[in-house]
Amino acid sequence: MKKKIIKFKYKLIKKLKRIKEEKLISNYFKDNKLFIVYVLVCVINSTLLRFFTMPTMENYLSFKPIIADIAVVTIIGSFSYLFKGKKRYVYLLVWAIIFTAICTINSAYYTFYTSFASVSMLSLTQYIGEVGDAVVENVLQIKDLVYILPLIFFIYYYHRLAKNDQYKIYTKDKRFKKFKNTILTGAVILVIFIVTLSSLEISRFVKQWNREYIVMRFGIYMYQGNDIVASIQPKITAMFGYDDAKKEFTEYYADRTDEQNYTNKYTDIFEGRNVIVIHAESMQGIAINRTFNGEEVTPNLNKMIKEGLYFDNFYSQVSVGTSSDTELTYNTSLMPTQSGTAFVSYFDRTYISTPSLLKDKGYYTFSMHANNADFWNRRAMHESLGYDKFYSKETYDVDDENVIGLGLSDKEFFAQSVEKIKKISEKHDKYYGYIITLTNHTPFSDTDKYGEFPVTMKTTITNEDGTQEEVEAPYLEGTKLGNYFKSVHYADEALGEFFNEMDEAGLLDNTVVIIFGDHDARLPRSEFNLMYNYDPVTDDIKDEDDPTYVDYDSFDYELDRKVPLIIWTKDGKVKGQIDYTMGMYDVMPTIGNMLGFYNKYALGHDIFEIKDDNIVVFPNGNWVTNLMYYNSQKGEYKLLKDEIIDEDYITKNNEYAEKLLNVSNKAIVFDLFNPNSEEEANNKTVSKEN
Ligand code: GP9
Ligand code: MN
């Protein structure tokens, strides 16, 4: 009997406790409605952003970033309880707006760069105005505005609460108690999140260079917070970490000789010749040797390819600095910086560059580009790179009739440039010119100015009655990819005219021409699928069961981002197709060998020495060799040859890539090519101590 009573008592207590707990929870919800809606709005937005930008099963099933988001917004939101009356709502609203803005900006940014935004790029927003149309047309889409809807709901919800007298006004004690409990809850959730992290996740979070990976594991809010720290960090480390950086840098180059220690069949073959470099905007490998109905997209480049040296496995290595990153890597054989861009953040450093080394050999060096001189901070950075003169927009006659896309049309730009080069050649017996084109820039929408170039597909079909009929299917007409080919066709025509005019003026006789695409054209992958799998009869993508269907995956897309590189002389001194995998950072050592200069600190190699052993490292840590493309973001790869590869190969290349990126970044941030850098670093430390 006694036992029964005890059991009953125990059951009763448990029940009462449960009722109390349930009441507690329901009371909590009743008492904190606005706060809960705020948390939901912010977490829903960040989750939507991840789903829209990285639609993978792994991402859909991942709870970690949601826990991280809840922790961040709860901790930040907890401070709202310290505010009296309506101010609590205002505080939450401000943060809800900030979080929504983070999602909207990142959504738009991802469309453009396939990456997440960094505050270190804020100093570059002045350039966005310049490419404003391109950005609006390309980037801002309805999906980027979806994040505003939950925010509107939050505002509406507050007003409903206020109208129905349900917006709580707490006493001072209650407010402080609520703040304490909420921040504690946030902290507990944060601890739960942290203990689930692996060491790899922690190390990648600290480095912050693999942005997709971080957002996928840590959520967008933690990523952005970490990004702020990471963006300020270079400025602080530039003050403090000098000794370690110098040590790592010295060790990295310890095995290098001060003078070039080899010769090959290309050594000094172009010594003393003039050099004309064409930095061809968005010229992507897919355009080369492509035809539409028998018409070549790039007849002029194709001709030069046949007459000169053509590198058909050549990749640009750009980060967020796009054109400017290529200018850095081409000119210095260094990699783009891990935060911000070298052109904007580190223009005041010392660089060992192709123009400066050629200047030492008596060359006059110049660059030409018909855009605003401050775009990408070129005015300052081209000087740091050793160009004697930068011919920018103000030195060209630009009138409305001659404008296509972002500015002066390539045809007009080249025509005026030839006149300038004529004058330069009269004054200087050796010159090196770096010429940057502009027309072939995204969004490729000025199609009526590119000239006729149909991107249709003509084909013969057999009718049911056996008769044959020629049809012209629309194919790529009306797509961005199609418009791109029209734009490239124009850019190629402009190049053809340029070389004709140069030749007529006798300016090609003793000249080496180097042409390369500066980076890919950021074209949608879905349209590549259409290009490779188009069925002109149905005017649609072929069925996947079709035996001619080409499986086009994300690796194929990465590999298709390659760009052309051509070295050409009128006398045909060099010829042939080079298939070695090569990157923008290999150009300086390769042409250095040909022109007779050497840079001990080049990160790339003379391609004719390294040949098939080369590795092209990308700023995000991905890399490609002749055997595989490795995606370090996802830890996945695609084999490019029928060769089995062991884990060791991947580990070694990953280490190589990481080291190279690190050394390159430190060399720039700490100004390690500056002979006085040590002294300057010491001065900074001393003045800090004072
Ligand atoms: C701007 C042009 C384009 O002057 O070089 O720059 P991008 O958008 O390709 O970096
Ligand atoms: Mn560019």
Side-chain angles (χ1 to χ4, degrees):
M1 185 65 186
K2 213 178 165 190
K3 246 185 180 176
K4 266 191 173 171
I5 292 172
I6 294 173
K7 216 173 167 186
F8 176 74
K9 249 179 145 180
Y10 176 73
K11 268 189 173 172
L12 196 72
I13 292 169
K14 226 175 140 186
K15 203 165 179 182
L16 282 172
K17 225 175 157 184
R18 212 169 55 222
I19 290 170
K20 210 178 155 195
E21 272 169 13
E22 275 167 9
K23 226 175 151 195
L24 249 174
I25 293 171
S26 79
N27 275 350
Y28 177 81
F29 276 97
K30 266 190 207 149
D31 213 30
N32 299 279
K33 279 180 184 165
L34 192 70
F35 185 82
I36 289 162
V37 171
Y38 148 84
V39 172
L40 280 176
V41 164
C42 300
V43 174
I44 287 173
N45 268 347
S46 72
T47 311
L48 281 179
L49 174 76
R50 278 188 299 105
F51 286 2
F52 288 156
T53 50
M54 300 175 288
T56 60
M57 204 35 94
E58 189 193 351
N59 201 13
Y60 292 146
L61 300 177
S62 178
F63 267 102
K64 271 190 185 176
I66 296 178
I67 298 173
D69 289 337
I70 295 175
V72 173
V73 297
T74 303
I75 291 171
I76 289 180
S78 67
F79 290 90
S80 66
Y81 288 116
L82 297 176
F83 293 94
K84 239 181 171 170
K86 196 184 166 182
K87 281 185 191 153
R88 177 163 58 88
Y89 158 68
V90 175
Y91 175 89
L92 289 177
L93 178 64
V94 168
W95 276 102
I97 292 173
I98 294 173
F99 287 132
T100 304
I102 290 176
C103 293
T104 309
I105 291 167
N106 276 288
S107 169
Y109 192 89
Y110 195 91
T111 318
F112 206 46
Y113 291 114
T114 331
S115 181
F116 294 98
S118 167
V119 291
S120 61
M121 290 297 290
L122 275 181
S123 53
L124 305 184
T125 46
Q126 51 179 307
Y127 306 120
I128 289 177
E130 301 275 337
V131 282
D133 291 347
V135 169
V136 170
E137 199 161 322
N138 261 323
V139 175
L140 264 193
Q141 298 169 359
I142 299 288
K143 67 167 179 46
D144 304 324
L145 304 174
V146 164
Y147 308 95
I148 295 170
L149 295 179
L151 177 71
I152 293 172
F153 177 76
F154 175 74
I155 299 168
Y156 158 79
Y157 192 75
Y158 161 74
H159 285 286
R160 219 186 68 172
L161 284 180
K163 201 175 149 201
N164 298 341
D165 264 351
Q166 285 178 350
Y167 179 73
K168 303 269 178 184
I169 307 289
Y170 308 114
T171 61
K172 197 175 175 189
D173 285 353
K174 203 167 178 192
R175 275 193 286 123
F176 191 71
K177 200 171 155 204
K178 275 186 173 298
F179 162 67
K180 213 175 66 188
N181 289 342
T182 316
I183 199 164
L184 208 74
T185 311
V188 169
I189 300 171
L190 186 66
V191 170
I192 293 173
F193 171 74
I194 291 171
V195 294
T196 63
L197 292 174
S198 68
S199 58
L200 180 73
E201 284 170 331
I202 295 170
S203 102
R204 292 205 165 169
F205 185 69
V206 174
K207 285 183 196 142
Q208 183 84 358
W209 66 343
N210 201 335
R211 300 185 192 178
E212 272 184 311
Y213 182 94
I214 296 173
V215 173
M216 197 128 79
R217 264 97 181 159
F218 294 78
I220 191 70
Y221 303 136
M222 241 185 222
Y223 157 79
Q224 210 77 76
N226 188 39
D227 166 68
I228 294 173
V229 177
S231 302
I232 300 167
Q233 208 188 2
K235 312 264 178 288
I236 298 167
T237 44
M239 284 180 185
F240 298 111
Y242 181 85
D243 291 341
D244 286 346
K246 178 85 188 184
K247 190 165 164 266
E248 193 175 347
F249 174 85
T250 314
E251 278 168 13
Y252 189 81
Y253 292 105
D255 296 340
R256 306 263 179 113
T257 50
D258 287 328
E259 304 285 329
Q260 186 168 315
N261 61 353
Y262 69 87
T263 54
N264 58 36
K265 72 172 191 178
Y266 295 100
T267 304
D268 295 341
I269 53 167
F270 294 139
E271 191 151 28
R273 288 207 193 193
N274 299 319
V275 186
I276 290 290
V277 183
I278 307 284
H279 164 137
E281 175 59 43
S282 301
M283 186 59 74
Q284 200 167 334
I286 49 161
I288 302 300
N289 287 326
R290 180 168 300 281
T291 56
F292 286 87
N293 306 313
E295 293 295 320
E296 292 170 284
V297 178
T298 57
N300 294 296
L301 285 176
N302 295 352
K303 185 168 168 274
M304 294 182 92
I305 280 167
K306 281 193 210 104
E307 295 169 357
L309 264 183
Y310 172 51
F311 302 82
D312 77 331
N313 259 321
F314 178 68
Y315 295 86
S316 79
Q317 295 164 290
V318 300
S319 179
V320 292
T322 46
S323 278
S324 74
D325 282 344
T326 271
E327 284 161 65
L328 172 85
T329 306
Y330 167 85
N331 280 297
T332 64
S333 191
L334 292 172
M335 290 295 288
T337 47
Q338 279 165 22
S339 131
T341 69
F343 265 52
V344 176
S345 312
Y346 305 106
F347 64 90
D348 54 354
R349 306 303 201 247
T350 302
Y351 292 96
I352 300 169
S353 67
T354 296
S356 66
L357 294 173
L358 285 176
K359 240 158 79 160
D360 293 346
K361 291 175 77 73
Y363 278 75
Y364 172 73
T365 59
F366 63 91
S367 55
M368 292 175 160
H369 182 50
N371 204 352
N372 200 319
D374 287 320
F375 198 94
W376 283 131
N377 204 22
R378 284 185 176 110
R379 193 197 302 271
M381 186 62 172
H382 277 212
E383 195 181 328
S384 303
L385 287 175
Y387 288 103
D388 288 318
K389 186 166 166 67
F390 173 31
Y391 296 85
S392 63
K393 188 176 175 180
E394 54 260 41
T395 70
Y396 287 84
D397 290 329
V398 184
D399 59 49
D400 287 352
E401 270 173 36
N402 291 328
V403 167
I404 305 183
L406 287 188
L408 186 62
S409 72
D410 279 1
K411 287 188 182 177
E412 188 56 32
F413 165 65
F414 279 134
Q416 294 184 33
S417 298
V418 173
E419 296 309 314
K420 295 183 200 300
I421 300 171
K422 276 184 198 163
K423 288 198 183 115
I424 291 168
S425 72
E426 282 158 17
K427 276 204 210 142
H428 306 274
D429 60 325
K430 274 189 292 185
Y431 55 85
Y432 170 87
Y434 187 91
I435 302 173
I436 306 168
T437 68
L438 186 60
T439 302
N440 189 37
H441 192 283
T442 191
F444 318 111
S445 50
D446 256 356
T447 44
D448 50 335
K449 296 189 180 162
Y450 300 148
E452 267 299 290
F453 188 73
V455 286
T456 55
M457 189 186 274
K458 285 185 190 151
T459 189
T460 311
I461 55 165
T462 311
N463 292 320
E464 275 175 19
D465 59 4
T467 55
Q468 293 210 317
E469 192 188 337
E470 172 142 294
V471 292
E472 185 171 358
Y475 195 20
L476 298 183
E477 284 294 336
T479 66
K480 190 171 174 194
L481 186 56
N483 290 348
Y484 171 67
F485 288 125
K486 289 172 194 274
S487 167
V488 170
H489 185 71
Y490 168 87
D492 177 81
E493 215 163 69
L495 276 167
E497 286 180 12
F498 172 64
F499 288 116
N500 281 343
E501 285 161 30
M502 288 283 284
D503 199 18
E504 274 165 28
L507 292 168
L508 292 181
D509 296 340
N510 187 32
T511 299
V512 187
V513 175
I514 300 166
I515 307 176
F516 56 82
D518 68 343
H519 47 73
D520 71 300
R522 301 181 207 121
L523 298 158
R525 190 170 130 195
S526 56
E527 292 187 0
F528 280 70
N529 201 21
L530 177 75
M531 176 168 75
Y532 291 122
N533 287 306
Y534 183 72
D535 183 344
V537 178
T538 59
D539 181 30
D540 207 347
I541 295 178
K542 285 176 200 160
D543 207 79
E544 285 186 29
D545 302 332
D546 190 307
T548 58
Y549 182 86
V550 183
D551 233 343
Y552 191 75
D553 61 22
S554 62
F555 287 101
D556 297 317
Y557 182 71
E558 287 302 326
L559 295 164
D560 260 346
R561 294 176 70 193
K562 66 179 76 157
V563 294
L565 168 69
I566 305 164
I567 301 179
W568 177 93
T569 56
K570 194 180 161 185
D571 60 8
K573 189 150 185 181
V574 286
K575 254 191 174 78
Q577 182 167 316
I578 311 298
D579 300 325
Y580 306 129
T581 303
M582 181 178 182
M584 194 61 76
Y585 62 11
D586 299 313
V587 179
M588 187 188 199
T590 304
I591 62 167
N593 178 49
M594 296 172 164
L595 290 161
F597 67 82
Y598 171 72
N599 172 16
K600 174 184 171 176
Y601 299 102
L603 291 172
H605 298 89
D606 178 348
I607 196 65
F608 297 109
E609 286 296 300
I610 189 122
K611 297 179 179 166
D612 259 341
D613 289 332
N614 203 20
I615 167 170
V616 176
V617 176
F618 297 100
N620 61 3
N622 290 2
W623 46 263
V624 62
T625 63
N626 64 330
L627 299 181
M628 69 156 66
Y629 184 99
Y630 184 80
N631 183 324
S632 78
Q633 324 270 311
K634 300 190 173 79
E636 293 167 0
Y637 58 82
K638 180 170 184 126
L639 291 178
L640 306 178
K641 289 242 166 79
D642 251 351
E643 246 178 71
I644 297 168
I645 285 171
D646 56 18
E647 268 303 310
D648 201 37
Y649 180 82
I650 298 175
T651 313
K652 270 195 193 137
N653 281 342
N654 273 340
E655 281 168 11
Y656 178 88
E658 200 168 315
K659 187 94 195 151
L660 181 142
L661 289 170
N662 215 358
V663 168
S664 177
N665 192 58
K666 287 190 171 151
I668 297 173
V669 171
F670 291 98
D671 200 10
L672 298 178
F673 300 117
N674 179 356
N676 304 322
S677 64
E678 188 155 5
E679 205 178 300
E680 284 171 17
N682 284 340
N683 287 345
K684 271 184 202 159
T685 319
V686 170
S687 60
K688 234 190 123 65
E689 280 163 6
N690 292 340

